């Protein structure tokens, strides 16, 4: 699944650190700007560094269920 898919669906990227379990939801636009729209989601995670412990054991998945209820992000 490429980053462009998340953008098209209005999804954010949910990432977490295997070392310290810190997690957050990231907007995909900056990632696409840095890595390109065809970059696969798992590959994008490997480019990230944990803001908590500095670790690079990061995993990611599409953020299917945003924490803010009622937010529809399908604006074109
Ligand atoms: Zn960490």
């Amino acid at each position: 699944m490429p980053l462009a898919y998340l953008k098209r669906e209005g999804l954010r990227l949910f990432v977490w650190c295997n070392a310290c379990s810190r997690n957050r939801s990231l907007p995909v636009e900056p990632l696409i700007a840095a890595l390109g729209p065809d970059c696969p989601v798992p590959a994008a995670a490997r480019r990230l560094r944990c803001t908590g412990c500095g670790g690079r054991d990061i995993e990611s998945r599409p953020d299917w269920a945003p924490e803010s209820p009622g937010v529809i992000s399908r604006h074109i």
Side-chain angles (χ1 to χ4, degrees):
M1 179 185 301
L3 292 175
Y5 172 85
L6 302 187
K7 181 177 171 63
R8 192 164 65 238
E9 295 297 316
L11 298 171
R12 292 163 70 94
L13 185 68
F14 186 80
V15 297
W16 68 96
C17 173
N18 282 320
C20 70
S21 297
R22 180 180 293 253
N23 62 79
R24 65 181 298 199
S25 175
L26 300 172
V28 294
E29 283 84 357
L31 293 168
I32 289 177
L35 304 173
D38 296 326
C39 180
V41 165
R46 288 196 289 270
R47 300 293 294 271
L48 301 172
R49 182 185 292 270
C50 177
T51 54
C53 70
R56 306 203 62 147
D57 191 6
I58 310 293
E59 294 200 47
S60 66
R61 63 165 170 78
D63 192 0
W64 302 113
E67 287 186 18
S68 347
V71 172
I72 306 296
S73 50
R74 280 191 179 276
H75 306 296
I76 304 298

